[in-house]
């Protein structure tokens, strides 16, 4: 990245750090990739308890405090250590597919905001999508 910045800035080209994967931990790897293999509690889960998957991407839980801190730390490290001209998140930052969010942390959060009611079984339920 440092070499790219030096060359690009020499031509007056801006360098934007793109955090393209966002909260997706892996593509095409049902184990969720290295992060989830090392930190299985960081996985988002579907209603059946599987790692949340959409379009062959496997997802971290963006509601998990450590996951949020990890993402913030990555971005802050980039901003503090490199003379970048900006950052960009992808549609996977901060998004989570609607079939995810059935892990205990997210379910507890949902219940706390919905008078103790659990999330709907149908992940396409309008109130779930809105939440």
């Amino acid at each position: 990245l440092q070499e790219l910045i030096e060359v690009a800035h020499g031509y007056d080209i801006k360098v934007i750090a793109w955090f393209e994967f966002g909260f997706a931990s892996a593509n095409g790897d049902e184990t969720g990739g290295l992060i989830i293999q090392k930190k299985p509690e960081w996985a988002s889960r579907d209603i059946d308890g599987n790692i949340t998957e959409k379009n062959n991407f496997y997802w971290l839980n963006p509601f998990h405090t450590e996951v949020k801190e990890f993402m913030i730390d990555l971005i802050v490290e980039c901003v503090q250590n490199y003379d970048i001209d900006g950052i960009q998140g992808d549609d996977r930052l901060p998004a989570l597919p609607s079939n995810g969010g059935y892990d205990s942390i997210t379910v507890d959060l949902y219940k706390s905001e919905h008078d103790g009611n659990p999330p709907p079984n149908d992940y396409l339920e309008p109130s779930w999508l809105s939440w």
Side-chain angles (χ1 to χ4, degrees):
L1 180 57
Q2 184 60 41
E3 290 176 20
L4 173 74
I5 291 168
E6 290 170 9
V7 171
H9 284 177
Y11 289 97
D12 201 29
I13 297 172
K14 295 189 182 299
V15 177
I16 310 295
W18 184 19
F19 291 86
E20 195 249 336
F21 261 72
F23 287 104
S25 63
N27 181 269
D29 182 349
E30 293 178 3
T31 70
L34 292 175
I35 294 174
I36 289 178
Q37 288 171 25
K38 291 184 183 278
K39 300 269 190 182
E41 69 276 15
W42 284 15
S44 173
R45 301 285 173 177
D46 65 19
I47 199 159
D48 296 321
N50 301 311
I51 299 171
T52 302
E53 182 272 333
K54 183 174 182 183
N55 299 330
N56 218 22
F57 283 97
Y58 294 83
W59 292 78
L60 297 169
N61 178 3
F63 296 102
H64 192 295
T65 300
E66 291 178 359
V67 172
K68 290 188 282 190
E69 289 172 358
F70 174 72
M71 294 302 293
I72 290 168
D73 288 348
L74 282 175
I75 293 167
V76 168
E77 179 181 334
C78 188
V79 169
Q80 288 179 339
N81 293 321
Y82 298 96
D83 184 23
I84 58 173
D85 300 294
I87 59 168
Q88 176 181 334
D90 196 87
D91 60 341
R92 290 175 287 275
L93 180 68
L96 174 67
S98 63
N99 63 324
Y102 289 92
D103 55 89
S104 61
I105 290 171
T106 311
V107 167
D108 288 346
L109 178 61
Y110 184 89
K111 285 179 174 180
S112 75
E113 296 179 10
H114 292 85
D115 298 321
N117 295 312
N121 290 332
D122 178 5
Y123 65 84
L124 295 176
E125 207 303 321
S127 67
W128 177 247
L129 294 174
S130 175
W131 185 75

